[in-house]
Amino acid sequence: MTPQPPLHASRLYDDGGCEIFGDPGLVFPWWSVTKTAIAICAFRLAEQGQLDLDALLPGQPFTLHQLLTHRAGLPDYASLPAYHAAVRADEAPWPRDALVEAALAPGRLFAPGQGWRYSNVGYLLARERIEAVAGQGLGALVHAQIAGPLGLDSVVLAQTRAEFGRVAWPAARRYHPGWVYHGCLIGTAPDAAHMMQALFAGRLLRAETLSRMRETLRLGGALP
């Protein structure tokens, strides 16, 4: 039998206990956990009075909250065969505007608020909105709003192949994180667990804000 790779993970408990599996110092791509960090930053900025989650974005028919909940009606670049081919060919990431133009070419899938469709493009626009409001790039914003207050020293917004070369998975080390257009954080498993535990324990958001972030959407059928 082929030996299984070791498990590197972290488990936190309500009483403050922490169980570590494997090497706690290894760095991993956080992939779409980065979306959770973007959403936390957006909700914290709203709590601080810096933005209105329910206001239409400038020049757009949807709100930041609709972007964060995948309800803006936007398509996703994951549906583009050329995108996947370029990633497999190890090409440099496309310019932002070229990617957005290609992804949005089919037009909106539904009127904002009237459906649900997972969209990385939506989170790219959400990232850009919170960066504009805060006057900070995403890496600095995550540090100010999440990593700094929680002491998550491993968390970095990877932007180059060299930075991604630190991750524990050999197959991912040459990947260009620019292909993740909303951004890709890297960090340790314990720091990822601490961020999520702090979120759900109410240490990052007020109770009413966390309740809104955790709203359940009833979609009425199988996911598209």
Side-chain angles (χ1 to χ4, degrees):
M1 295 179 62
T2 302
Q4 295 297 309
L7 176 68
H8 304 282
S10 179
R11 180 184 296 155
L12 301 178
Y13 297 92
D14 290 342
D15 63 4
C18 180
E19 189 174 5
I20 300 292
F21 304 89
D23 185 344
L26 293 181
V27 171
F28 297 93
W30 283 16
W31 301 123
S32 281
V33 173
T34 304
K35 291 185 176 71
T36 302
I38 290 172
I40 292 169
C41 289
F43 278 92
R44 282 175 65 89
L45 290 172
E47 286 186 344
Q48 295 158 15
Q50 296 190 55
L51 59 76
D52 181 352
L53 294 173
D54 298 310
L56 295 178
L57 270 66
Q60 299 292 352
F62 44 75
T63 69
L64 180 56
H65 188 259
Q66 288 167 338
L67 291 175
L68 295 173
T69 55
H70 300 288
R71 300 184 70 220
L74 298 178
D76 184 33
Y77 59 72
S79 64
L80 299 173
Y83 169 86
H84 295 286
V87 174
R88 287 194 299 270
D90 205 23
E91 296 178 10
W94 300 343
R96 179 264 187 206
D97 290 349
L99 178 282
V100 171
E101 181 180 1
L104 300 187
R108 287 200 301 273
L109 304 175
F110 47 82
Q114 299 305 305
W116 186 94
R117 181 65 67 90
Y118 191 91
S119 178
N120 290 293
V121 175
Y123 263 78
L124 164 62
L125 300 182
R127 169 189 175 170
E128 291 175 344
R129 180 58 179 161
I130 65 174
E131 287 179 330
V133 168
Q136 292 179 299
L138 181 61
L141 195 54
V142 168
H143 183 268
Q145 298 289 343
I146 303 172
L150 296 179
L152 309 182
D153 296 332
S154 74
V155 182
V156 174
L157 179 67
Q159 300 181 79
T160 67
R161 293 184 193 273
E163 288 172 321
F164 225 68
R166 298 174 49 217
V167 303
W169 294 327
R173 288 175 186 159
R174 292 190 67 253
Y175 179 81
H176 197 307
W179 283 114
V180 184
Y181 283 81
H182 58 73
C184 185
L185 296 171
I186 59 175
T188 64
D191 277 358
H194 277 93
M195 182 184 78
M196 300 303 288
Q197 197 273 345
L199 171 62
F200 292 111
R203 293 167 52 207
L204 288 171
L205 299 173
R206 300 170 190 159
E208 61 272 20
T209 306
L210 179 60
S211 178
R212 187 177 190 199
M213 187 178 181
R214 299 182 66 184
E215 284 176 352
T216 299
L217 299 177
R218 299 190 181 277
L219 304 176
L223 295 179

Short mmCIF file of all heavy atoms in Angstrom, two decimals, residues 96-122:
data_model
loop_
_atom_site.label_atom_id
_atom_site.label_comp_id
_atom_site.label_asym_id
_atom_site.label_seq_id
_atom_site.Cartn_x
_atom_site.Cartn_y
_atom_site.Cartn_z
N ARG A 96 -5.69 41.94 -14.46
CA ARG A 96 -6.97 41.93 -13.75
C ARG A 96 -8.14 42.25 -14.68
O ARG A 96 -9.17 41.57 -14.68
CB ARG A 96 -6.89 42.94 -12.60
CG ARG A 96 -8.18 43.06 -11.76
CD ARG A 96 -9.02 44.22 -12.24
NE ARG A 96 -10.15 44.47 -11.37
CZ ARG A 96 -11.28 45.04 -11.76
NH1 ARG A 96 -11.42 45.43 -13.03
NH2 ARG A 96 -12.27 45.25 -10.90
N ASP A 97 -8.02 43.30 -15.49
CA ASP A 97 -9.14 43.71 -16.35
C ASP A 97 -9.46 42.65 -17.40
O ASP A 97 -10.63 42.44 -17.74
CB ASP A 97 -8.84 45.05 -17.01
CG ASP A 97 -8.86 46.21 -16.03
OD1 ASP A 97 -9.30 46.00 -14.88
OD2 ASP A 97 -8.44 47.32 -16.41
N ALA A 98 -8.44 41.97 -17.93
CA ALA A 98 -8.67 40.92 -18.91
C ALA A 98 -9.43 39.76 -18.29
O ALA A 98 -10.34 39.18 -18.91
CB ALA A 98 -7.35 40.45 -19.50
N LEU A 99 -9.06 39.40 -17.07
CA LEU A 99 -9.74 38.32 -16.37
C LEU A 99 -11.20 38.68 -16.12
O LEU A 99 -12.10 37.88 -16.39
CB LEU A 99 -9.01 38.04 -15.05
CG LEU A 99 -9.52 36.98 -14.07
CD1 LEU A 99 -10.69 37.43 -13.25
CD2 LEU A 99 -9.79 35.67 -14.77
N VAL A 100 -11.44 39.86 -15.61
CA VAL A 100 -12.81 40.27 -15.29
C VAL A 100 -13.66 40.34 -16.56
O VAL A 100 -14.81 39.88 -16.59
CB VAL A 100 -12.81 41.62 -14.55
CG1 VAL A 100 -14.23 42.15 -14.40
CG2 VAL A 100 -12.17 41.46 -13.17
N GLU A 101 -13.09 40.89 -17.64
CA GLU A 101 -13.84 40.97 -18.89
C GLU A 101 -14.23 39.59 -19.40
O GLU A 101 -15.38 39.36 -19.81
CB GLU A 101 -13.01 41.70 -19.95
CG GLU A 101 -13.72 41.85 -21.29
CD GLU A 101 -12.88 42.58 -22.33
OE1 GLU A 101 -11.74 42.95 -22.02
OE2 GLU A 101 -13.38 42.76 -23.45
N ALA A 102 -13.30 38.65 -19.35
CA ALA A 102 -13.60 37.30 -19.82
C ALA A 102 -14.63 36.61 -18.93
O ALA A 102 -15.56 35.94 -19.42
CB ALA A 102 -12.31 36.47 -19.85
N ALA A 103 -14.50 36.78 -17.62
CA ALA A 103 -15.41 36.11 -16.70
C ALA A 103 -16.82 36.67 -16.78
O ALA A 103 -17.81 35.92 -16.66
CB ALA A 103 -14.88 36.23 -15.27
N LEU A 104 -16.95 37.98 -16.97
CA LEU A 104 -18.27 38.61 -16.97
C LEU A 104 -18.91 38.68 -18.35
O LEU A 104 -20.03 39.19 -18.49
CB LEU A 104 -18.16 40.03 -16.38
CG LEU A 104 -17.65 40.12 -14.94
CD1 LEU A 104 -17.76 41.55 -14.44
CD2 LEU A 104 -18.40 39.17 -14.01
N ALA A 105 -18.23 38.16 -19.36
CA ALA A 105 -18.76 38.22 -20.72
C ALA A 105 -20.15 37.61 -20.86
O ALA A 105 -20.98 38.14 -21.61
CB ALA A 105 -17.78 37.56 -21.69
N PRO A 106 -20.49 36.52 -20.15
CA PRO A 106 -21.84 35.96 -20.30
C PRO A 106 -22.94 36.85 -19.72
O PRO A 106 -24.12 36.61 -19.97
CB PRO A 106 -21.76 34.63 -19.52
CG PRO A 106 -20.30 34.32 -19.43
CD PRO A 106 -19.62 35.64 -19.35
N GLY A 107 -22.59 37.86 -18.96
CA GLY A 107 -23.58 38.72 -18.33
C GLY A 107 -24.03 38.18 -16.99
O GLY A 107 -23.68 37.06 -16.60
N ARG A 108 -24.81 38.99 -16.27
CA ARG A 108 -25.27 38.56 -14.95
C ARG A 108 -26.17 37.34 -15.05
O ARG A 108 -26.97 37.21 -15.98
CB ARG A 108 -26.00 39.71 -14.23
CG ARG A 108 -25.06 40.80 -13.74
CD ARG A 108 -25.74 41.63 -12.64
NE ARG A 108 -26.97 42.25 -13.11
CZ ARG A 108 -27.03 43.43 -13.73
NH1 ARG A 108 -25.92 44.11 -13.96
NH2 ARG A 108 -28.19 43.93 -14.09
N LEU A 109 -26.07 36.46 -14.08
CA LEU A 109 -26.82 35.22 -14.09
C LEU A 109 -28.23 35.40 -13.54
O LEU A 109 -29.12 34.61 -13.86
CB LEU A 109 -26.08 34.16 -13.26
CG LEU A 109 -24.63 33.89 -13.70
CD1 LEU A 109 -23.96 32.92 -12.75
CD2 LEU A 109 -24.60 33.35 -15.13
N PHE A 110 -28.40 36.40 -12.69
CA PHE A 110 -29.71 36.73 -12.12
C PHE A 110 -29.62 38.12 -11.53
O PHE A 110 -28.52 38.67 -11.36
CB PHE A 110 -30.12 35.71 -11.04
CG PHE A 110 -29.06 35.41 -10.03
CD1 PHE A 110 -28.82 36.25 -8.94
CD2 PHE A 110 -28.28 34.26 -10.16
CE1 PHE A 110 -27.84 35.97 -8.01
CE2 PHE A 110 -27.28 33.97 -9.24
CZ PHE A 110 -27.06 34.83 -8.15
N ALA A 111 -30.76 38.69 -11.23
CA ALA A 111 -30.78 40.02 -10.62
C ALA A 111 -30.18 39.93 -9.22
O ALA A 111 -30.39 38.93 -8.50
CB ALA A 111 -32.20 40.56 -10.55
N PRO A 112 -29.41 40.93 -8.78
CA PRO A 112 -28.81 40.88 -7.45
C PRO A 112 -29.85 40.59 -6.37
O PRO A 112 -30.93 41.16 -6.34
CB PRO A 112 -28.22 42.29 -7.29
CG PRO A 112 -27.90 42.71 -8.69
CD PRO A 112 -29.02 42.15 -9.53
N GLY A 113 -29.48 39.62 -5.52
CA GLY A 113 -30.35 39.24 -4.42
C GLY A 113 -31.39 38.19 -4.77
O GLY A 113 -32.11 37.72 -3.88
N GLN A 114 -31.48 37.79 -6.05
CA GLN A 114 -32.53 36.89 -6.48
C GLN A 114 -32.05 35.47 -6.76
O GLN A 114 -32.76 34.68 -7.37
CB GLN A 114 -33.20 37.46 -7.73
CG GLN A 114 -33.84 38.81 -7.53
CD GLN A 114 -34.85 38.81 -6.39
OE1 GLN A 114 -35.78 38.01 -6.38
NE2 GLN A 114 -34.65 39.70 -5.43
N GLY A 115 -30.85 35.14 -6.33
CA GLY A 115 -30.33 33.81 -6.53
C GLY A 115 -29.00 33.65 -5.81
O GLY A 115 -28.62 34.50 -4.98
N TRP A 116 -28.32 32.56 -6.11
CA TRP A 116 -27.02 32.28 -5.48
C TRP A 116 -26.13 31.59 -6.50
O TRP A 116 -26.56 30.65 -7.18
CB TRP A 116 -27.20 31.38 -4.25
CG TRP A 116 -25.94 31.17 -3.46
CD1 TRP A 116 -25.52 31.89 -2.38
CD2 TRP A 116 -24.93 30.16 -3.67
NE1 TRP A 116 -24.33 31.40 -1.90
CE2 TRP A 116 -23.93 30.33 -2.68
CE3 TRP A 116 -24.78 29.14 -4.61
CZ2 TRP A 116 -22.81 29.53 -2.61
CZ3 TRP A 116 -23.65 28.33 -4.54
CH2 TRP A 116 -22.69 28.53 -3.53
N ARG A 117 -24.91 32.05 -6.63
CA ARG A 117 -23.91 31.38 -7.46
C ARG A 117 -22.52 31.75 -6.95
O ARG A 117 -22.20 32.93 -6.85
CB ARG A 117 -24.05 31.78 -8.92
CG ARG A 117 -23.03 31.10 -9.85
CD ARG A 117 -23.22 29.58 -9.93
NE ARG A 117 -24.46 29.22 -10.58
CZ ARG A 117 -24.62 29.02 -11.88
NH1 ARG A 117 -23.59 29.18 -12.70
NH2 ARG A 117 -25.78 28.68 -12.36
N TYR A 118 -21.74 30.73 -6.63
CA TYR A 118 -20.39 30.95 -6.11
C TYR A 118 -19.57 31.74 -7.13
O TYR A 118 -19.54 31.39 -8.31
CB TYR A 118 -19.73 29.60 -5.84
CG TYR A 118 -18.44 29.66 -5.07
CD1 TYR A 118 -18.44 29.56 -3.69
CD2 TYR A 118 -17.22 29.78 -5.73
CE1 TYR A 118 -17.25 29.59 -2.97
CE2 TYR A 118 -16.03 29.82 -5.02
CZ TYR A 118 -16.05 29.71 -3.64
OH TYR A 118 -14.87 29.75 -2.94
N SER A 119 -18.91 32.79 -6.67
CA SER A 119 -18.18 33.64 -7.60
C SER A 119 -16.90 34.18 -6.99
O SER A 119 -16.93 35.02 -6.07
CB SER A 119 -19.04 34.82 -8.07
OG SER A 119 -18.31 35.65 -8.94
N ASN A 120 -15.76 33.71 -7.50
CA ASN A 120 -14.48 34.30 -7.12
C ASN A 120 -14.38 35.75 -7.59
O ASN A 120 -13.74 36.57 -6.93
CB ASN A 120 -13.34 33.49 -7.73
CG ASN A 120 -13.18 32.13 -7.09
OD1 ASN A 120 -12.82 32.00 -5.94
ND2 ASN A 120 -13.47 31.08 -7.86
N VAL A 121 -15.01 36.06 -8.72
CA VAL A 121 -15.01 37.43 -9.21
C VAL A 121 -15.69 38.35 -8.19
O VAL A 121 -15.24 39.47 -7.94
CB VAL A 121 -15.70 37.54 -10.58
CG1 VAL A 121 -15.81 38.99 -11.02
CG2 VAL A 121 -14.93 36.74 -11.62
N GLY A 122 -16.78 37.87 -7.60
CA GLY A 122 -17.46 38.65 -6.58
C GLY A 122 -16.54 38.99 -5.42
O GLY A 122 -16.56 40.12 -4.91
#
